[in-house]
Amino acid sequence: MSRHPAPDELLLDYATGVLPEGPALALSLHVALDPAAQRTVGRLTAVGGALLEGEVGADLGQAALDQVMARLDSVAVEPKAPPPRRRSGFEWAPASLVPYLGNKGWKRVFGGFEQIELSLHGDTHRVALLRLQPGRGLPVHRHVANEYTVVLQGGYTDNTGNYGVGDFAVGPGANEHEPIADPGEPCIALIVVEKPIVLTGVWGRWLNPLLRWGWM
Amino acid sequence: MVWRKAASFDRSRASAATWIYTIARNKRIDLLRRTGRPAIDVEDWLTIFTPEEGSADKSVAAGQTYTRVKELMEGLSADQLTVIRMAFFEDKTHTAIAKELRLPLGTVKSRIRLALGRLREALQKDEET
């Protein structure tokens, strides 16, 4: 069970399929890595199925299914998609992330901090993978909009707690935070933000111009 | 469309209605995002409902009947029911629901959390029996 689950309202939005692409990607990774979130989304989908069946008055019961399946024996069935191939170095990537990676590689931002920017279509969220070497941190910053983080490898700690693989964090709003990667493997996380973050503290004034032409 | 995806259906994991709901939802997401390149393949979303082999969670998306779900929803307060219905029948995000009902975002969030808490508890009990 995740110590930091995604909030229920986001799991509901995800289960009904209404989230924009960026947040939906974050939720899909959380759900892939967290059995509790998977159960919740599974139950909500079952609720959706039951409501669909009831409201449209369709009989989607076992008998109807058996009948359809029997009649379709002659129709070619697409083989179940094989698990996506992951490039070497990206073995940690859950299936829903793989199509976004393409041939992109890590870009160094500054010491011990690298990123891969992912592009979305028709969604204004900024989405990136961050990789922090153990013991390294991001500069103190605060958020001006919603920010979602999902840990995919390793872990990090900030003033709100410790986050491990599968954990989901909602940006602390106007509060400042300074995440530091835990010892062990480098910390890899997917970050989804609505608008650029604002750096505060000593490095802030120096780094904020960087944020204006592209987020870090 | 549905029968071409039949290979991804596992009747021990989900009822036919749940499966069809999943495919319909994923198809809609896929159409909404079709802006030049395939965003998330429908199959990738389906795999979310197929946890790794040996996973301890065998009861995911067990078949729920309309009667049972309706019964559970009747147990919710009128306020909770309104937001849950809007989520499922009007395809709205919790943010859009708050805007439409002219309620603070926090109020809508807490209604969803209370409603889901109750649904989760009841469905968990169903799965255990």
Short mmCIF file of all heavy atoms in Angstrom, two decimals, chain B residues 26-35:
data_model
loop_
_atom_site.label_atom_id
_atom_site.label_comp_id
_atom_site.label_asym_id
_atom_site.label_seq_id
_atom_site.Cartn_x
_atom_site.Cartn_y
_atom_site.Cartn_z
N ASN B 26 -11.87 4.18 -23.10
CA ASN B 26 -10.55 4.32 -23.71
C ASN B 26 -10.64 4.79 -25.16
O ASN B 26 -9.81 5.56 -25.63
CB ASN B 26 -9.80 2.99 -23.64
CG ASN B 26 -9.46 2.60 -22.21
OD1 ASN B 26 -9.64 3.42 -21.30
ND2 ASN B 26 -9.03 1.39 -22.01
N LYS B 27 -11.67 4.31 -25.84
CA LYS B 27 -11.87 4.72 -27.23
C LYS B 27 -12.15 6.22 -27.29
O LYS B 27 -11.66 6.92 -28.16
CB LYS B 27 -13.06 3.92 -27.80
CG LYS B 27 -13.20 4.02 -29.30
CD LYS B 27 -12.12 3.23 -30.00
CE LYS B 27 -12.01 3.64 -31.46
NZ LYS B 27 -10.71 3.25 -32.03
N ARG B 28 -12.95 6.69 -26.33
CA ARG B 28 -13.29 8.11 -26.31
C ARG B 28 -12.03 8.95 -26.03
O ARG B 28 -11.79 9.97 -26.67
CB ARG B 28 -14.35 8.38 -25.23
CG ARG B 28 -14.82 9.81 -25.16
CD ARG B 28 -16.06 9.96 -24.31
NE ARG B 28 -15.87 9.44 -22.97
CZ ARG B 28 -15.33 10.13 -21.97
NH1 ARG B 28 -14.92 11.36 -22.17
NH2 ARG B 28 -15.19 9.60 -20.78
N ILE B 29 -11.23 8.51 -25.07
CA ILE B 29 -9.98 9.22 -24.76
C ILE B 29 -9.11 9.26 -26.01
O ILE B 29 -8.54 10.28 -26.36
CB ILE B 29 -9.23 8.50 -23.62
CG1 ILE B 29 -10.00 8.61 -22.30
CG2 ILE B 29 -7.82 9.06 -23.46
CD1 ILE B 29 -9.47 7.73 -21.19
N ASP B 30 -9.04 8.11 -26.67
CA ASP B 30 -8.21 7.98 -27.85
C ASP B 30 -8.65 8.96 -28.94
O ASP B 30 -7.83 9.64 -29.57
CB ASP B 30 -8.30 6.54 -28.35
CG ASP B 30 -7.14 6.18 -29.23
OD1 ASP B 30 -6.02 6.61 -28.92
OD2 ASP B 30 -7.35 5.48 -30.23
N LEU B 31 -9.96 9.09 -29.15
CA LEU B 31 -10.49 9.99 -30.17
C LEU B 31 -10.23 11.45 -29.81
O LEU B 31 -9.84 12.25 -30.64
CB LEU B 31 -12.00 9.77 -30.35
CG LEU B 31 -12.40 8.49 -31.08
CD1 LEU B 31 -13.90 8.29 -31.03
CD2 LEU B 31 -11.92 8.54 -32.53
N LEU B 32 -10.42 11.79 -28.52
CA LEU B 32 -10.20 13.16 -28.06
C LEU B 32 -8.76 13.59 -28.26
O LEU B 32 -8.47 14.74 -28.51
CB LEU B 32 -10.56 13.27 -26.58
CG LEU B 32 -12.05 13.32 -26.23
CD1 LEU B 32 -12.24 13.29 -24.72
CD2 LEU B 32 -12.68 14.57 -26.81
N ARG B 33 -7.85 12.64 -28.12
CA ARG B 33 -6.43 12.98 -28.17
C ARG B 33 -5.82 12.82 -29.54
O ARG B 33 -4.65 13.05 -29.73
CB ARG B 33 -5.67 12.06 -27.21
CG ARG B 33 -6.15 12.24 -25.82
CD ARG B 33 -5.03 12.07 -24.85
NE ARG B 33 -5.58 12.24 -23.51
CZ ARG B 33 -5.42 11.37 -22.56
NH1 ARG B 33 -4.70 10.30 -22.78
NH2 ARG B 33 -5.95 11.57 -21.39
N ARG B 34 -6.65 12.35 -30.49
CA ARG B 34 -6.07 12.07 -31.80
C ARG B 34 -5.75 13.37 -32.50
O ARG B 34 -6.56 13.96 -33.18
CB ARG B 34 -7.02 11.22 -32.63
CG ARG B 34 -6.39 10.75 -33.92
CD ARG B 34 -7.00 9.48 -34.38
NE ARG B 34 -6.80 8.40 -33.41
CZ ARG B 34 -7.39 7.21 -33.53
NH1 ARG B 34 -8.20 6.99 -34.51
NH2 ARG B 34 -7.14 6.27 -32.66
N THR B 35 -4.55 13.86 -32.28
CA THR B 35 -4.17 15.15 -32.85
C THR B 35 -2.84 15.01 -33.56
O THR B 35 -1.93 15.77 -33.34
CB THR B 35 -4.05 16.21 -31.73
OG1 THR B 35 -3.36 15.60 -30.62
CG2 THR B 35 -5.38 16.72 -31.29
#
